[in-house]
Amino acid sequence: MGLSPPTLALPDGNFWLQVTLAIMPLSVGLRPSRGPEVFSFCQASISGHFSLSKLRQPIFPNSVTPNSDTIAAIATPPGIGGIAVIRISGPKSWEVAQTLPCIVAGCPPAPNSVKHAYIYNNNNELIDEVLISFFKSPHSYTGEDVVEVSCHGGNISSKRILKLILSNDVRMARPGEFTERAFLNGKLDLAQAEAVAGLIHARSEASARAALSQLAGKLSEHIREMRAKILDLLALLELELDFSEEDVSFQSLESRKVDLLELQHQIEHLISTFARGRIEREGLRVAIVGAPNAGKSTLLNRIVGDERAIVSPHPGTTRDVVEAHLELSGHEVIFQDTAGLRESSHEIEAIGMERTRKALNRADIVLLLVDLASRDLPGTEILSEISSKNALIVLNKCDIIGSESFSPPTEFKLSGTKTIKISALTGDGVEELLSELTHRFTHELETAGDLIITESRHHDALRRSSEAIERARSLFHEPTLMASDLRDAANALGEITGETIGEEVLDRIFSKFCIGK
């Protein structure tokens, strides 16, 4: 191939070995062999430390090919609004736009420019007054030629314009196909593409911030750095396997141990942020539990300022889990009013209590509501379960039972659970309760730092990468098996950014997007 062989210094420093290494990409899990991808080495020091250039990545992930047809869809939500946007992407975008009646003929306008026009149907009837924006490849969202038609909002004009566009050898875009093309054309990696959906579906400031951080590429950059380190270690190991007869070593055993341990710690730290990332994405779940008639439904209504749950003096009124969403300090909090916990032979009430237990298991914080008048408590088994979680004891009806003391159950004394007195009826103490809740989850989230993972797919890939590194760390004297595990670790990380992923997985990811995005 006419390549100049790079120079490597062997550890003993007494002689030089000229090595030409042409290997297939390690990201697809192949053994090094002489092929089109080349690692470039710089000269090593006598201590055996040297750097590797990054492996050149393919334009498209494995088993994925770009599309060449032109697609269109309405990019704005259905319903009444100020404007609607119809997006066209593909090689025929401007050609299609020119076929619309009364669009000014001629060459495409300057990139990133806007034209004013009136669009008519085939019967010369006015559809709407519009603005036509043209984005020339590659400077567009998808990386292709893109035209966006902005018309008045509502359901009529946008649908009529889309119908005209689709009659010109343009097909309707699949859900998420515009973002999928942005990924395939290198405008976004897969983690960033998923962040687009996360930002669209964000229900609080916190979830929007998490999505924006991921969209900005902070997570992807960290993942790529870790993956590059694994590939560097793998390349050195493969070199030693290829030159095993010469009995040379390109990295000391101790250095390799340190590098793998550091990598595993980085991955495990990222894994540990998933619980907090899930809260940012899905909201904090707060289950209100207690004996019947403790005031759980009254407290839920007081917190949200609305009659969300039925309130009755008769025990067992609540038979299902009633949810209410509230934003506290920029974070979504999902309060759940649950069925009262007691012994009951009533079939429907028993089903309600089973759902209470499920809500209890899923909750991030549990409020154990205690009626100061009756002091009824759930059974010992439930109390033990509650005390093992992030819980608060909330003493209700302090407006009736004034300053009487309350001795928490033994399970809560041992865990040091905090107690707050309130009156769900009058609202006394409720602000203090919300303040304590806010303090608890904001403190935990702030300790996570800026870099967190919010997707279960990322969590799974990181877990598999960590497990592969753990296996590799136990195989220092089995270099062939160790290399296999390092390839698994690198491939798992590559799944997050889309460097090692198949078309079937991509289809599954982008099918969750809305049409037009």
Side-chain angles (χ1 to χ4, degrees), residues 123-386:
N123 296 323
N124 205 32
E125 297 172 341
L126 179 65
I127 295 179
D128 204 354
E129 180 182 9
V130 301
L131 292 174
I132 312 291
S133 304
F134 175 67
F135 303 92
K136 180 66 177 174
S137 170
H139 304 294
S140 69
Y141 178 71
T142 64
E144 305 170 330
D145 285 352
V146 170
V147 170
E148 291 185 351
V149 182
S150 301
C151 65
H152 289 93
N155 296 319
I156 306 303
S157 296
S158 57
K159 288 183 178 179
R160 295 176 72 188
I161 294 171
L162 178 62
K163 184 178 179 180
L164 272 179
I165 292 170
L166 294 177
S167 67
N168 287 276
D169 194 28
V170 176
R171 68 169 175 83
M172 177 72 83
R174 300 188 306 273
E177 190 169 5
F178 292 103
T179 304
E180 182 179 19
R181 291 190 174 201
F183 164 67
L184 293 175
N185 292 322
K187 303 294 289 187
L188 302 167
D189 63 37
L190 194 54
Q192 290 174 302
E194 288 172 302
V196 172
L199 184 59
I200 292 171
H201 293 99
R203 296 182 297 192
S204 67
E205 291 181 14
S207 58
R209 283 196 301 268
L212 282 170
S213 174
Q214 187 172 315
L215 182 58
K218 293 181 180 179
L219 174 64
S220 301
E221 182 181 357
H222 187 50
I223 294 295
R224 278 193 287 268
E225 287 176 355
M226 292 191 297
R227 185 169 184 266
K229 290 177 182 177
I230 294 174
L231 289 175
D232 284 352
L233 290 171
L234 178 56
L236 294 175
L237 190 58
E238 296 284 10
L239 267 178
E240 292 178 6
L241 288 172
D242 283 353
F243 291 92
S244 57
E245 294 181 0
E246 283 79 2
D247 193 27
V248 296
S249 175
F250 296 100
Q251 184 182 24
S252 69
L253 188 63
E254 189 60 35
S255 173
R256 188 167 292 158
K257 287 181 179 180
V258 170
D259 289 345
L260 284 177
L261 184 60
E262 181 183 352
L263 276 166
Q264 190 172 23
H265 284 166
Q266 290 179 18
I267 293 172
E268 286 294 331
H269 173 72
L270 209 50
I271 290 172
S272 70
T273 67
F274 179 59
R276 295 184 288 270
R278 182 196 58 77
I279 292 174
E280 295 277 26
R281 180 183 175 86
E282 301 175 6
L284 182 89
R285 292 188 173 274
V286 178
I288 308 172
V289 301
N293 264 20
K296 299 182 295 297
S297 298
T298 304
L299 176 58
L300 178 73
N301 292 341
R302 171 64 63 179
I303 288 173
V304 300
D306 191 18
E307 296 295 322
R308 294 300 304 274
I310 298 173
V311 176
S312 167
H314 303 292
T317 301
T318 302
R319 301 291 180 86
D320 207 345
V321 176
V322 180
E323 289 190 350
H325 295 243
L326 193 68
E327 188 167 331
L328 294 177
S329 299
H331 296 81
E332 182 183 27
V333 182
I334 306 164
F335 288 94
Q336 297 179 308
D337 174 26
T338 64
L341 295 166
R342 65 173 178 176
E343 293 295 329
S344 175
S345 59
H346 194 289
E347 182 181 356
I348 301 300
E349 190 174 359
I351 293 173
M353 287 189 285
E354 180 60 32
R355 294 184 178 181
T356 295
R357 290 185 175 91
K358 290 181 179 178
L360 178 60
N361 289 333
R362 295 183 61 195
D364 302 297
I365 296 178
V366 178
L367 303 183
L368 174 59
L369 200 63
V370 180
D371 182 346
L372 276 173
S374 68
R375 307 201 173 211
D376 290 337
L377 291 168
T380 303
E381 182 181 344
I382 294 295
L383 287 176
S384 297
E385 189 174 343
I386 295 172

Side-chain angles (χ1 to χ4, degrees), residues 33-182:
S33 60
R34 286 164 175 77
E37 296 289 341
V38 179
F39 270 111
S40 174
F41 293 80
C42 68
Q43 183 171 311
S45 67
I46 294 177
S47 63
H49 294 288
F50 58 89
S51 62
L52 296 167
S53 69
K54 291 183 179 179
L55 181 67
R56 295 205 307 269
Q57 297 297 336
I59 297 176
F60 303 105
N62 306 329
S63 306
V64 177
T65 54
N67 293 301
S68 59
D69 52 350
T70 300
I71 58 174
I74 299 173
T76 43
I80 306 302
I83 64 168
V85 177
I86 302 94
R87 178 180 285 162
I88 314 169
S89 182
K92 295 183 179 179
S93 294
W94 181 247
E95 179 184 331
V96 169
Q98 286 180 301
T99 64
L100 299 177
C102 286
I103 298 299
V104 179
C107 297
N112 302 327
S113 65
V114 181
K115 278 182 176 287
H116 173 264
Y118 294 88
I119 293 184
Y120 294 80
N121 65 15
N122 294 327
N123 296 323
N124 205 32
E125 297 172 341
L126 179 65
I127 295 179
D128 204 354
E129 180 182 9
V130 301
L131 292 174
I132 312 291
S133 304
F134 175 67
F135 303 92
K136 180 66 177 174
S137 170
H139 304 294
S140 69
Y141 178 71
T142 64
E144 305 170 330
D145 285 352
V146 170
V147 170
E148 291 185 351
V149 182
S150 301
C151 65
H152 289 93
N155 296 319
I156 306 303
S157 296
S158 57
K159 288 183 178 179
R160 295 176 72 188
I161 294 171
L162 178 62
K163 184 178 179 180
L164 272 179
I165 292 170
L166 294 177
S167 67
N168 287 276
D169 194 28
V170 176
R171 68 169 175 83
M172 177 72 83
R174 300 188 306 273
E177 190 169 5
F178 292 103
T179 304
E180 182 179 19
R181 291 190 174 201

